[in-house]
Amino acid sequence: MSTAGPNAGIGLTTISRTVASLAVEVVHTVERVVVGEGRVRTARGNAWEAVCADRARADQRAALDRLVAELAASRDRQAGRTPQPVS
């Protein structure tokens, strides 16, 4: 007999794997019905989204690098100096 009170929570360790598996399957089935089969997130879709986000960040960094280089060149021109090549 359990010593836990009536308000004790149920953890994953207290339910069987079969029950947990069935619960996950029910959630996925409901998701497919509500969201639509074509809009269910997949690992491949998540990976592509991450690739696109990485590319967007790289583009932003490149744009910022160009802006900093242009500002430095502008400052050098105003000071009458020849800009030094960046290695």
Side-chain angles (χ1 to χ4, degrees):
M1 190 167 190
S2 175
T3 60
N7 294 330
I10 297 176
L12 286 177
T13 57
T14 58
I15 61 174
S16 72
R17 287 185 179 181
T18 304
V19 172
S21 175
L22 289 172
V24 168
E25 186 59 35
V26 167
V27 169
H28 285 296
T29 302
V30 170
E31 179 186 22
R32 284 192 295 270
V33 169
V34 172
V35 174
E37 192 68 40
R39 300 192 67 202
V40 173
R41 294 182 66 95
T42 62
R44 183 177 183 179
N46 292 341
W48 179 246
E49 192 174 304
V51 167
C52 291
D54 286 345
R55 288 179 180 171
R57 282 191 297 275
D59 290 344
Q60 290 172 347
R61 281 191 302 271
L64 182 61
D65 289 345
R66 284 191 300 274
L67 178 62
V68 169
E70 289 173 11
L71 290 173
S74 172
R75 186 190 70 198
D76 288 342
R77 280 193 300 272
Q78 288 177 355
R81 293 181 278 178
T82 305
Q84 299 298 319
V86 178
S87 50

